[in-house]
Amino acid sequence: MLKLNLLGIAGLCFIASSFMGCTAQKGETPQGAIIDTGFTRASVQFTNMLDTVAKYRTDNKFLPKSVGKDGKNTLSGIYDWTSGFFPGSLWYLYEYSQDQKWKAEAEKWTSFLEPVKDFHGHHDVGFMIYSSYGNGYRLMGNDAYKAVIIQAARSLSKRYNEKVGAILSWDTDKGWQSERGWEYPVIIDNMINLELLFKATEFSGDSSFYKIAVSHADRTLENHFRPDYSSFHVVDYDPETGEVRHRHTAQGFSHESAWARGQAWAVYGYALCYSATGDERYLVQAQHIADYILNHPNLPADLIPYWDFNDPKIPNTYRDASAGAIIASALLSLADMADPEKAATYQDAAVKMLQSLSSDDYLAKPGTNNGFILKHSVGSIPHDNEIDVPLSYADYYYLEALLKYQAILKAGN
Ligand code: GLY
Protein backbone atom coordinates (compact mmCIF):
# COMPACT_ATOMS: atom_id res chain seq x y z
CA MET A 1 0.00 0.00 0.00
CA LEU A 2 2.70 2.41 1.06
CA LYS A 3 4.87 1.42 -1.90
CA LEU A 4 1.97 2.09 -4.28
CA ASN A 5 1.47 5.53 -2.77
CA LEU A 6 5.14 6.34 -3.15
CA LEU A 7 5.08 5.22 -6.78
CA GLY A 8 1.95 7.26 -7.40
CA ILE A 9 3.49 10.44 -6.05
CA ALA A 10 6.81 9.77 -7.80
CA GLY A 11 4.87 9.38 -11.05
CA LEU A 12 3.12 12.71 -10.46
CA CYS A 13 6.50 14.28 -9.82
CA PHE A 14 7.78 12.86 -13.11
CA ILE A 15 4.82 14.32 -15.04
CA ALA A 16 5.09 17.63 -13.17
CA SER A 17 8.83 17.77 -13.83
CA SER A 18 8.18 18.02 -17.56
CA PHE A 19 6.29 21.24 -16.95
CA MET A 20 7.56 22.74 -13.69
CA GLY A 21 11.13 21.61 -13.21
CA CYS A 22 10.19 19.29 -10.32
CA THR A 23 13.53 17.69 -9.43
CA ALA A 24 14.11 14.41 -7.63
CA GLN A 25 15.42 14.96 -4.09
CA LYS A 26 18.15 12.81 -2.55
CA GLY A 27 15.28 10.90 -0.92
CA GLU A 28 14.13 10.20 -4.52
CA THR A 29 10.47 11.11 -3.88
CA PRO A 30 8.63 14.22 -2.69
CA GLN A 31 8.47 12.54 0.73
CA GLY A 32 12.24 12.77 0.72
CA ALA A 33 12.06 16.56 0.55
CA ILE A 34 12.16 16.80 4.34
CA ILE A 35 15.50 14.97 4.28
CA ASP A 36 17.00 17.62 2.02
CA THR A 37 15.34 20.38 4.02
CA GLY A 38 16.79 19.08 7.28
CA PHE A 39 20.32 18.52 6.01
CA THR A 40 20.48 21.74 4.02
CA ARG A 41 19.45 23.58 7.16
CA ALA A 42 21.96 21.60 9.22
CA SER A 43 24.74 22.66 6.87
CA VAL A 44 23.86 26.36 7.19
CA GLN A 45 23.31 26.19 10.94
CA PHE A 46 26.48 24.24 11.73
CA THR A 47 28.55 26.60 9.58
CA ASN A 48 27.25 29.39 11.81
CA MET A 49 27.76 27.25 14.92
CA LEU A 50 31.43 26.72 14.12
CA ASP A 51 31.92 30.49 13.75
CA THR A 52 30.02 31.17 16.98
CA VAL A 53 31.83 28.56 19.05
CA ALA A 54 35.20 29.77 17.77
CA LYS A 55 34.41 33.12 19.40
CA TYR A 56 33.78 31.53 22.80
CA ARG A 57 36.77 29.19 23.05
CA THR A 58 40.09 29.29 21.31
CA ASP A 59 41.04 25.66 22.02
CA ASN A 60 37.56 24.45 20.98
CA LYS A 61 37.70 21.51 23.41
CA PHE A 62 34.27 22.49 24.58
CA LEU A 63 31.34 21.28 22.58
CA PRO A 64 28.03 22.88 21.59
CA LYS A 65 25.25 21.91 23.98
CA SER A 66 22.44 24.48 24.19
CA VAL A 67 21.61 28.16 24.73
CA GLY A 68 21.68 29.79 28.17
CA LYS A 69 19.24 32.24 29.75
CA ASP A 70 21.57 35.04 28.59
CA GLY A 71 21.01 33.97 24.98
CA LYS A 72 24.60 32.79 24.55
CA ASN A 73 25.65 29.31 23.46
CA THR A 74 26.38 26.94 26.31
CA LEU A 75 29.19 24.45 25.80
CA SER A 76 29.94 21.14 27.45
CA GLY A 77 33.27 19.80 28.58
CA ILE A 78 34.29 16.45 27.17
CA TYR A 79 33.08 14.57 30.28
CA ASP A 80 29.53 15.95 30.05
CA TRP A 81 26.97 13.39 28.88
CA THR A 82 26.18 15.49 25.80
CA SER A 83 29.73 15.81 24.48
CA GLY A 84 29.36 13.21 21.70
CA PHE A 85 26.31 14.67 20.02
CA PHE A 86 27.86 17.55 18.08
CA PRO A 87 30.65 15.34 16.65
CA GLY A 88 27.98 12.72 15.90
CA SER A 89 25.83 15.26 14.07
CA LEU A 90 28.87 16.27 12.03
CA TRP A 91 29.33 12.61 11.04
CA TYR A 92 25.68 12.44 9.95
CA LEU A 93 26.11 15.62 7.94
CA TYR A 94 29.19 14.11 6.26
CA GLU A 95 27.33 10.84 5.63
CA TYR A 96 24.53 12.71 3.89
CA SER A 97 26.59 15.26 1.96
CA GLN A 98 29.85 13.35 1.37
CA ASP A 99 31.42 16.78 1.71
CA GLN A 100 35.06 16.51 2.89
CA LYS A 101 34.65 19.71 4.87
CA TRP A 102 32.21 17.98 7.22
CA LYS A 103 34.41 14.90 7.45
CA ALA A 104 37.34 17.06 8.58
CA GLU A 105 35.16 18.78 11.18
CA ALA A 106 33.74 15.45 12.38
CA GLU A 107 37.25 14.02 12.79
CA LYS A 108 38.45 17.10 14.64
CA TRP A 109 35.55 17.29 17.10
CA THR A 110 35.54 13.53 17.64
CA SER A 111 39.25 13.57 18.52
CA PHE A 112 38.57 15.89 21.48
CA LEU A 113 36.71 13.02 23.18
CA GLU A 114 39.57 10.52 23.07
CA PRO A 115 40.31 10.79 26.86
CA VAL A 116 36.69 9.77 27.57
CA LYS A 117 37.68 6.19 26.73
CA ASP A 118 39.19 5.91 30.23
CA PHE A 119 36.37 7.74 32.03
CA HIS A 120 34.00 5.95 34.41
CA GLY A 121 32.68 8.82 36.53
CA HIS A 122 29.10 8.26 35.32
CA HIS A 123 27.26 5.90 32.97
CA ASP A 124 27.04 8.16 29.93
CA VAL A 125 30.27 6.93 28.34
CA GLY A 126 28.09 5.07 25.83
CA PHE A 127 26.25 8.19 24.70
CA MET A 128 29.50 10.14 24.46
CA ILE A 129 31.66 7.60 22.67
CA TYR A 130 29.11 5.83 20.53
CA SER A 131 27.65 9.04 19.04
CA SER A 132 31.12 10.31 18.15
CA TYR A 133 33.60 7.44 17.71
CA GLY A 134 30.86 4.90 16.97
CA ASN A 135 29.56 6.84 13.99
CA GLY A 136 33.11 7.65 12.94
CA TYR A 137 34.01 3.97 12.97
CA ARG A 138 30.83 3.01 11.11
CA LEU A 139 31.77 5.42 8.32
CA MET A 140 35.58 5.23 8.32
CA GLY A 141 36.32 1.73 9.61
CA ASN A 142 39.65 2.81 11.15
CA ASP A 143 41.31 0.72 13.86
CA ALA A 144 42.13 3.70 16.07
CA TYR A 145 38.41 4.47 16.50
CA LYS A 146 37.66 0.81 17.16
CA ALA A 147 40.27 0.74 19.93
CA VAL A 148 38.65 3.78 21.61
CA ILE A 149 35.23 2.09 21.50
CA ILE A 150 36.55 -1.12 23.10
CA GLN A 151 38.46 0.74 25.81
CA ALA A 152 35.38 2.89 26.57
CA ALA A 153 33.34 -0.30 27.00
CA ARG A 154 35.94 -1.54 29.54
CA SER A 155 35.55 1.74 31.43
CA LEU A 156 31.74 1.58 31.39
CA SER A 157 31.83 -2.04 32.57
CA LYS A 158 33.52 -0.90 35.80
CA ARG A 159 30.16 0.53 36.83
CA TYR A 160 28.44 -2.87 36.70
CA ASN A 161 27.46 -4.58 39.96
CA GLU A 162 26.81 -8.36 39.76
CA LYS A 163 24.39 -8.27 42.67
CA VAL A 164 22.17 -5.66 41.05
CA GLY A 165 22.79 -6.96 37.55
CA ALA A 166 22.83 -3.41 36.20
CA ILE A 167 25.17 -0.49 35.55
CA LEU A 168 25.24 2.32 38.13
CA SER A 169 24.04 5.51 36.45
CA TRP A 170 25.11 8.24 38.86
CA ASP A 171 27.54 8.19 41.76
CA THR A 172 25.57 8.93 44.92
CA ASP A 173 28.01 11.54 46.19
CA LYS A 174 27.68 13.57 42.98
CA GLY A 175 24.99 14.88 40.70
CA TRP A 176 21.27 14.93 41.33
CA GLN A 177 20.04 13.57 44.64
CA SER A 178 16.71 12.27 45.84
CA GLU A 179 15.02 13.49 49.00
CA ARG A 180 14.93 9.81 50.04
CA GLY A 181 18.60 9.23 49.30
CA TRP A 182 19.77 7.00 46.46
CA GLU A 183 22.11 4.08 47.00
CA TYR A 184 22.36 2.64 43.48
CA PRO A 185 20.38 4.78 41.00
CA VAL A 186 19.76 3.31 37.57
CA ILE A 187 17.98 5.58 35.10
CA ILE A 188 16.06 4.59 31.99
CA ASP A 189 18.44 6.73 29.88
CA ASN A 190 21.14 4.15 30.66
CA MET A 191 19.61 1.81 28.05
CA ILE A 192 21.29 3.82 25.29
CA ASN A 193 24.74 3.12 26.75
CA LEU A 194 24.21 -0.57 26.00
CA GLU A 195 24.87 0.02 22.30
CA LEU A 196 28.54 0.69 23.11
CA LEU A 197 28.75 -2.64 24.98
CA PHE A 198 27.08 -4.67 22.23
CA LYS A 199 29.36 -3.13 19.60
CA ALA A 200 32.47 -3.64 21.75
CA THR A 201 31.73 -7.38 21.89
CA GLU A 202 31.20 -7.44 18.12
CA PHE A 203 34.53 -5.62 17.57
CA SER A 204 36.64 -7.43 20.19
CA GLY A 205 35.09 -10.88 20.57
CA ASP A 206 35.00 -10.28 24.33
CA SER A 207 31.52 -11.50 25.37
CA SER A 208 31.68 -9.90 28.82
CA PHE A 209 30.37 -6.58 27.45
CA TYR A 210 27.43 -8.32 25.78
CA LYS A 211 26.57 -10.18 28.99
CA ILE A 212 26.53 -6.97 31.02
CA ALA A 213 24.31 -5.29 28.43
CA VAL A 214 21.82 -8.17 28.43
CA SER A 215 21.70 -8.32 32.21
CA HIS A 216 21.13 -4.57 32.40
CA ALA A 217 18.36 -4.72 29.79
CA ASP A 218 16.68 -7.59 31.64
CA ARG A 219 16.81 -5.92 35.06
CA THR A 220 15.44 -2.71 33.54
CA LEU A 221 12.66 -4.62 31.80
CA GLU A 222 11.79 -6.24 35.14
CA ASN A 223 11.85 -3.14 37.32
CA HIS A 224 11.50 0.10 35.37
CA PHE A 225 8.06 -0.31 33.82
CA ARG A 226 4.51 0.19 35.01
CA PRO A 227 1.71 -2.13 33.84
CA ASP A 228 0.84 0.36 31.05
CA TYR A 229 4.49 0.15 29.79
CA SER A 230 5.36 3.70 30.78
CA SER A 231 8.75 3.93 32.44
CA PHE A 232 9.90 5.30 35.76
CA HIS A 233 12.93 7.52 35.41
CA VAL A 234 15.10 6.28 38.31
CA VAL A 235 15.07 2.88 39.99
CA ASP A 236 17.19 2.83 43.11
CA TYR A 237 18.60 -0.58 44.07
CA ASP A 238 20.18 -1.89 47.23
CA PRO A 239 23.75 -2.59 46.07
CA GLU A 240 24.20 -5.35 48.68
CA THR A 241 21.03 -7.36 47.97
CA GLY A 242 20.04 -6.18 44.49
CA GLU A 243 16.50 -5.41 45.75
CA VAL A 244 14.60 -2.36 44.48
CA ARG A 245 14.53 0.39 47.13
CA HIS A 246 12.54 3.15 45.38
CA ARG A 247 11.16 4.18 42.03
CA HIS A 248 11.66 7.90 41.40
CA THR A 249 12.00 10.70 38.95
CA ALA A 250 14.75 13.28 38.64
CA GLN A 251 13.69 15.11 35.48
CA GLY A 252 9.97 14.31 35.22
CA PHE A 253 6.89 16.03 36.63
CA SER A 254 6.52 13.51 39.48
CA HIS A 255 7.69 10.06 40.54
CA GLU A 256 4.54 8.56 38.99
CA SER A 257 4.55 10.56 35.76
CA ALA A 258 5.83 9.62 32.31
CA TRP A 259 8.71 11.99 31.55
CA ALA A 260 8.68 12.22 27.75
CA ARG A 261 12.39 11.80 27.09
CA GLY A 262 12.48 8.86 29.47
CA GLN A 263 9.84 7.12 27.34
CA ALA A 264 11.92 8.02 24.28
CA TRP A 265 15.07 6.43 25.76
CA ALA A 266 13.02 3.36 26.69
CA VAL A 267 11.65 2.67 23.20
CA TYR A 268 14.97 3.48 21.57
CA GLY A 269 16.83 1.29 24.07
CA TYR A 270 14.73 -1.84 23.59
CA ALA A 271 14.75 -1.42 19.81
CA LEU A 272 18.56 -1.37 19.88
CA CYS A 273 18.66 -4.38 22.22
CA TYR A 274 16.50 -6.37 19.81
CA SER A 275 18.69 -5.33 16.91
CA ALA A 276 21.83 -6.43 18.82
CA THR A 277 20.51 -9.73 20.23
CA GLY A 278 17.51 -10.87 18.18
CA ASP A 279 15.74 -11.55 21.50
CA GLU A 280 12.00 -11.22 20.77
CA ARG A 281 11.26 -10.05 24.34
CA TYR A 282 13.04 -6.79 23.58
CA LEU A 283 11.07 -6.26 20.37
CA VAL A 284 7.80 -6.89 22.21
CA GLN A 285 8.83 -4.44 24.93
CA ALA A 286 9.84 -1.76 22.41
CA GLN A 287 6.49 -2.16 20.64
CA HIS A 288 4.56 -1.88 23.90
CA ILE A 289 6.39 1.34 24.74
CA ALA A 290 5.85 2.71 21.23
CA ASP A 291 2.15 1.90 21.48
CA TYR A 292 1.94 3.57 24.89
CA ILE A 293 3.45 6.74 23.41
CA LEU A 294 1.45 6.79 20.17
CA ASN A 295 -1.89 6.04 21.86
CA HIS A 296 -1.43 8.46 24.73
CA PRO A 297 -4.33 10.94 24.94
CA ASN A 298 -1.87 13.75 25.72
CA LEU A 299 0.21 13.20 22.59
CA PRO A 300 -0.48 16.30 20.46
CA ALA A 301 -1.71 16.14 16.86
CA ASP A 302 1.76 16.97 15.50
CA LEU A 303 3.12 13.99 17.52
CA ILE A 304 5.82 16.04 19.27
CA PRO A 305 5.30 15.28 22.96
CA TYR A 306 4.93 17.67 25.82
CA TRP A 307 7.96 17.39 28.12
CA ASP A 308 6.01 15.05 30.44
CA PHE A 309 2.90 13.13 29.39
CA ASN A 310 1.33 13.83 32.78
CA ASP A 311 2.02 17.52 33.30
CA PRO A 312 -1.38 18.80 34.52
CA LYS A 313 -0.74 22.08 32.67
CA ILE A 314 -1.06 20.33 29.26
CA PRO A 315 -1.72 21.93 26.73
CA ASN A 316 -0.24 25.05 28.36
CA THR A 317 3.21 23.68 28.86
CA TYR A 318 6.42 22.97 26.94
CA ARG A 319 7.00 20.58 24.06
CA ASP A 320 10.19 18.56 23.94
CA ALA A 321 11.51 18.34 20.38
CA SER A 322 14.38 16.15 21.64
CA ALA A 323 11.91 13.49 22.78
CA GLY A 324 10.15 13.75 19.40
CA ALA A 325 13.42 13.26 17.50
CA ILE A 326 14.53 10.28 19.63
CA ILE A 327 11.11 8.63 19.31
CA ALA A 328 11.05 9.21 15.52
CA SER A 329 14.44 7.53 15.20
CA ALA A 330 13.37 4.58 17.38
CA LEU A 331 10.12 4.14 15.44
CA LEU A 332 12.02 3.98 12.16
CA SER A 333 14.19 1.20 13.61
CA LEU A 334 11.03 -0.60 14.72
CA ALA A 335 9.53 -0.13 11.26
CA ASP A 336 12.40 -2.25 10.00
CA MET A 337 11.81 -5.01 12.57
CA ALA A 338 8.10 -5.25 13.33
CA ASP A 339 5.45 -7.20 11.42
CA PRO A 340 4.19 -5.33 8.32
CA GLU A 341 1.04 -3.87 9.89
CA LYS A 342 2.84 -2.49 12.93
CA ALA A 343 5.79 -1.42 10.79
CA ALA A 344 3.49 0.76 8.68
CA THR A 345 2.01 2.37 11.81
CA TYR A 346 5.45 3.13 13.23
CA GLN A 347 6.79 4.44 9.95
CA ASP A 348 3.77 6.69 9.38
CA ALA A 349 4.06 8.12 12.89
CA ALA A 350 7.82 8.66 12.56
CA VAL A 351 7.40 10.43 9.23
CA LYS A 352 4.71 12.66 10.70
CA MET A 353 7.07 13.53 13.56
CA LEU A 354 9.84 14.34 11.09
CA GLN A 355 7.45 16.49 9.05
CA SER A 356 6.53 18.39 12.21
CA LEU A 357 10.16 18.83 13.22
CA SER A 358 10.98 19.99 9.66
CA SER A 359 8.26 22.65 9.74
CA ASP A 360 8.69 26.27 10.83
CA ASP A 361 7.25 25.29 14.20
CA TYR A 362 10.48 23.50 15.18
CA LEU A 363 13.09 23.94 12.44
CA ALA A 364 15.17 27.07 12.97
CA LYS A 365 15.22 29.69 10.26
CA PRO A 366 18.69 29.95 8.68
CA GLY A 367 21.02 32.09 10.76
CA THR A 368 18.88 31.92 13.93
CA ASN A 369 18.79 29.60 16.97
CA ASN A 370 22.51 30.04 17.81
CA GLY A 371 23.53 27.56 15.11
CA PHE A 372 21.32 24.72 16.32
CA ILE A 373 18.86 23.04 13.97
CA LEU A 374 15.78 22.48 16.12
CA LYS A 375 13.96 24.77 18.52
CA HIS A 376 11.78 23.89 21.53
CA SER A 377 13.46 21.21 23.61
CA VAL A 378 13.59 20.78 27.35
CA GLY A 379 16.58 19.71 29.46
CA SER A 380 15.15 19.56 32.97
CA ILE A 381 12.18 21.55 34.19
CA PRO A 382 12.50 20.43 37.86
CA HIS A 383 16.06 21.81 37.84
CA ASP A 384 15.00 24.99 36.01
CA ASN A 385 17.60 24.07 33.41
CA GLU A 386 17.37 24.35 29.61
CA ILE A 387 13.67 25.07 29.18
CA ASP A 388 12.35 25.64 25.66
CA VAL A 389 15.80 25.79 24.10
CA PRO A 390 17.78 24.07 21.36
CA LEU A 391 19.71 20.99 22.50
CA SER A 392 22.57 19.21 20.73
CA TYR A 393 20.92 15.83 21.16
CA ALA A 394 17.63 16.96 19.58
CA ASP A 395 19.65 17.86 16.47
CA TYR A 396 21.61 14.58 16.58
CA TYR A 397 18.56 12.29 16.72
CA TYR A 398 16.71 14.41 14.14
CA LEU A 399 19.55 13.93 11.63
CA GLU A 400 19.83 10.24 12.53
CA ALA A 401 16.10 9.76 11.93
CA LEU A 402 16.29 11.59 8.59
CA LEU A 403 19.07 9.24 7.47
CA LYS A 404 17.05 6.20 8.53
CA TYR A 405 14.11 7.56 6.57
CA GLN A 406 16.33 8.13 3.54
CA ALA A 407 17.47 4.49 3.71
CA ILE A 408 13.84 3.33 3.89
CA LEU A 409 12.88 5.42 0.85
CA LYS A 410 15.91 4.18 -1.08
CA ALA A 411 14.90 0.60 -0.31
CA GLY A 412 11.49 1.43 -1.82
CA ASN A 413 9.46 1.01 1.39
N1 GLY B 1 20.30 11.52 29.75
C1 GLY B 1 19.89 12.76 30.31
C2 GLY B 1 18.69 13.32 29.68
O1 GLY B 1 18.04 12.71 28.87
O2 GLY B 1 18.38 14.44 30.00
mmCIF file of all heavy atoms in Angstrom, residues 81 123-124 127 176 187 189 251 259 261 265 379 393, ligand 1:
data_model
loop_
_atom_site.group_PDB
_atom_site.id
_atom_site.type_symbol
_atom_site.label_atom_id
_atom_site.label_comp_id
_atom_site.label_asym_id
_atom_site.label_seq_id
_atom_site.Cartn_x
_atom_site.Cartn_y
_atom_site.Cartn_z
ATOM 1 N N TRP A 81 27.649 14.469 29.611
ATOM 2 C CA TRP A 81 26.974 13.387 28.879
ATOM 3 C C TRP A 81 26.646 13.756 27.434
ATOM 4 O O TRP A 81 26.479 12.879 26.589
ATOM 5 C CB TRP A 81 25.710 12.938 29.627
ATOM 6 C CG TRP A 81 24.481 13.783 29.423
ATOM 7 C CD1 TRP A 81 24.149 14.918 30.094
ATOM 8 C CD2 TRP A 81 23.400 13.545 28.501
ATOM 9 N NE1 TRP A 81 22.951 15.408 29.641
ATOM 10 C CE2 TRP A 81 22.467 14.582 28.684
ATOM 11 C CE3 TRP A 81 23.141 12.549 27.560
ATOM 12 C CZ2 TRP A 81 21.281 14.659 27.938
ATOM 13 C CZ3 TRP A 81 21.962 12.629 26.813
ATOM 14 C CH2 TRP A 81 21.050 13.675 27.010
ATOM 15 N N HIS A 123 27.582 6.965 33.936
ATOM 16 C CA HIS A 123 27.265 5.898 32.967
ATOM 17 C C HIS A 123 27.236 6.345 31.509
ATOM 18 O O HIS A 123 27.080 5.515 30.619
ATOM 19 C CB HIS A 123 25.899 5.298 33.320
ATOM 20 C CG HIS A 123 24.758 6.249 33.084
ATOM 21 N ND1 HIS A 123 23.524 5.832 32.643
ATOM 22 C CD2 HIS A 123 24.665 7.599 33.208
ATOM 23 C CE1 HIS A 123 22.717 6.886 32.528
ATOM 24 N NE2 HIS A 123 23.392 7.964 32.874
ATOM 25 N N ASP A 124 27.346 7.651 31.269
ATOM 26 C CA ASP A 124 27.043 8.161 29.927
ATOM 27 C C ASP A 124 28.148 7.979 28.894
ATOM 28 O O ASP A 124 28.048 8.516 27.782
ATOM 29 C CB ASP A 124 26.659 9.646 30.017
ATOM 30 C CG ASP A 124 25.293 9.816 30.657
ATOM 31 O OD1 ASP A 124 24.378 9.068 30.294
ATOM 32 O OD2 ASP A 124 25.149 10.688 31.528
ATOM 33 N N PHE A 127 26.761 7.066 25.493
ATOM 34 C CA PHE A 127 26.254 8.189 24.703
ATOM 35 C C PHE A 127 27.426 8.938 24.066
ATOM 36 O O PHE A 127 27.408 9.269 22.883
ATOM 37 C CB PHE A 127 25.542 9.205 25.619
ATOM 38 C CG PHE A 127 24.103 8.920 25.934
ATOM 39 C CD1 PHE A 127 23.727 8.449 27.188
ATOM 40 C CD2 PHE A 127 23.109 9.181 25.014
ATOM 41 C CE1 PHE A 127 22.391 8.232 27.505
ATOM 42 C CE2 PHE A 127 21.769 8.974 25.318
ATOM 43 C CZ PHE A 127 21.407 8.497 26.568
ATOM 44 N N TRP A 176 22.599 14.721 40.763
ATOM 45 C CA TRP A 176 21.274 14.933 41.327
ATOM 46 C C TRP A 176 20.993 13.933 42.434
ATOM 47 O O TRP A 176 21.323 12.757 42.331
ATOM 48 C CB TRP A 176 20.224 14.790 40.226
ATOM 49 C CG TRP A 176 20.281 15.924 39.268
ATOM 50 C CD1 TRP A 176 20.651 17.209 39.533
ATOM 51 C CD2 TRP A 176 19.953 15.893 37.887
ATOM 52 N NE1 TRP A 176 20.574 17.983 38.410
ATOM 53 C CE2 TRP A 176 20.146 17.209 37.384
ATOM 54 C CE3 TRP A 176 19.506 14.897 37.022
ATOM 55 C CZ2 TRP A 176 19.898 17.536 36.058
ATOM 56 C CZ3 TRP A 176 19.266 15.229 35.702
ATOM 57 C CH2 TRP A 176 19.454 16.532 35.230
ATOM 58 N N ILE A 187 19.009 4.793 35.799
ATOM 59 C CA ILE A 187 17.985 5.579 35.099
ATOM 60 C C ILE A 187 17.704 4.968 33.722
ATOM 61 O O ILE A 187 18.553 4.295 33.142
ATOM 62 C CB ILE A 187 18.377 7.081 35.008
ATOM 63 C CG1 ILE A 187 19.596 7.326 34.106
ATOM 64 C CG2 ILE A 187 18.652 7.631 36.405
ATOM 65 C CD1 ILE A 187 19.892 8.805 33.874
ATOM 66 N N ASP A 189 17.524 6.217 30.907
ATOM 67 C CA ASP A 189 18.438 6.730 29.880
ATOM 68 C C ASP A 189 19.611 5.768 29.634
ATOM 69 O O ASP A 189 20.177 5.717 28.541
ATOM 70 C CB ASP A 189 19.040 8.082 30.288
ATOM 71 C CG ASP A 189 18.091 9.005 31.028
ATOM 72 O OD1 ASP A 189 17.182 8.499 31.703
ATOM 73 O OD2 ASP A 189 18.278 10.225 30.966
ATOM 74 N N GLN A 251 13.968 14.081 36.480
ATOM 75 C CA GLN A 251 13.685 15.113 35.479
ATOM 76 C C GLN A 251 12.209 15.200 35.083
ATOM 77 O O GLN A 251 11.845 16.079 34.307
ATOM 78 C CB GLN A 251 14.534 14.872 34.232
ATOM 79 C CG GLN A 251 15.977 15.303 34.421
ATOM 80 C CD GLN A 251 16.899 14.705 33.363
ATOM 81 O OE1 GLN A 251 17.448 13.631 33.560
ATOM 82 N NE2 GLN A 251 17.069 15.394 32.257
ATOM 83 N N TRP A 259 7.824 10.966 32.113
ATOM 84 C CA TRP A 259 8.713 11.988 31.549
ATOM 85 C C TRP A 259 8.954 11.625 30.082
ATOM 86 O O TRP A 259 9.355 10.488 29.768
ATOM 87 C CB TRP A 259 10.015 11.989 32.352
ATOM 88 C CG TRP A 259 11.102 12.839 31.823
ATOM 89 C CD1 TRP A 259 11.033 14.160 31.459
ATOM 90 C CD2 TRP A 259 12.462 12.437 31.608
ATOM 91 N NE1 TRP A 259 12.264 14.595 31.042
ATOM 92 C CE2 TRP A 259 13.158 13.569 31.119
ATOM 93 C CE3 TRP A 259 13.166 11.244 31.795
ATOM 94 C CZ2 TRP A 259 14.514 13.521 30.798
ATOM 95 C CZ3 TRP A 259 14.510 11.198 31.483
ATOM 96 C CH2 TRP A 259 15.172 12.328 30.994
ATOM 97 N N ARG A 261 11.125 12.311 27.632
ATOM 98 C CA ARG A 261 12.388 11.803 27.088
ATOM 99 C C ARG A 261 12.731 10.433 27.676
ATOM 100 O O ARG A 261 13.378 9.613 27.028
ATOM 101 C CB ARG A 261 13.527 12.808 27.269
ATOM 102 C CG ARG A 261 14.662 12.507 26.290
ATOM 103 C CD ARG A 261 15.664 13.626 26.075
ATOM 104 N NE ARG A 261 16.220 14.166 27.276
ATOM 105 C CZ ARG A 261 15.905 15.352 27.806
ATOM 106 N NH1 ARG A 261 15.031 16.132 27.204
ATOM 107 N NH2 ARG A 261 16.450 15.782 28.921
ATOM 108 N N TRP A 265 13.891 7.294 25.549
ATOM 109 C CA TRP A 265 15.068 6.435 25.765
ATOM 110 C C TRP A 265 14.635 4.972 25.875
ATOM 111 O O TRP A 265 15.341 4.065 25.402
ATOM 112 C CB TRP A 265 15.827 6.836 27.023
ATOM 113 C CG TRP A 265 16.465 8.189 27.038
ATOM 114 C CD1 TRP A 265 16.464 9.075 28.101
ATOM 115 C CD2 TRP A 265 17.243 8.842 26.013
ATOM 116 N NE1 TRP A 265 17.165 10.213 27.788
ATOM 117 C CE2 TRP A 265 17.660 10.096 26.514
ATOM 118 C CE3 TRP A 265 17.618 8.480 24.717
ATOM 119 C CZ2 TRP A 265 18.433 10.992 25.755
ATOM 120 C CZ3 TRP A 265 18.381 9.382 23.958
ATOM 121 C CH2 TRP A 265 18.771 10.608 24.487
ATOM 122 N N GLY A 379 15.580 20.494 28.727
ATOM 123 C CA GLY A 379 16.578 19.705 29.462
ATOM 124 C C GLY A 379 15.967 19.154 30.727
ATOM 125 O O GLY A 379 15.647 17.968 30.813
ATOM 126 N N TYR A 393 21.386 17.192 21.426
ATOM 127 C CA TYR A 393 20.915 15.827 21.162
ATOM 128 C C TYR A 393 19.601 15.819 20.387
ATOM 129 O O TYR A 393 19.316 14.843 19.684
ATOM 130 C CB TYR A 393 20.817 14.977 22.436
ATOM 131 C CG TYR A 393 20.281 15.638 23.673
ATOM 132 C CD1 TYR A 393 18.984 15.416 24.104
ATOM 133 C CD2 TYR A 393 21.084 16.452 24.457
ATOM 134 C CE1 TYR A 393 18.509 15.991 25.275
ATOM 135 C CE2 TYR A 393 20.609 17.039 25.625
ATOM 136 C CZ TYR A 393 19.325 16.809 26.026
ATOM 137 O OH TYR A 393 18.844 17.387 27.180
HETATM 138 N N1 GLY B 1 20.299 11.521 29.747
HETATM 139 C C1 GLY B 1 19.894 12.762 30.313
HETATM 140 C C2 GLY B 1 18.694 13.320 29.683
HETATM 141 O O1 GLY B 1 18.045 12.708 28.871
HETATM 142 O O2 GLY B 1 18.380 14.443 30.005
#
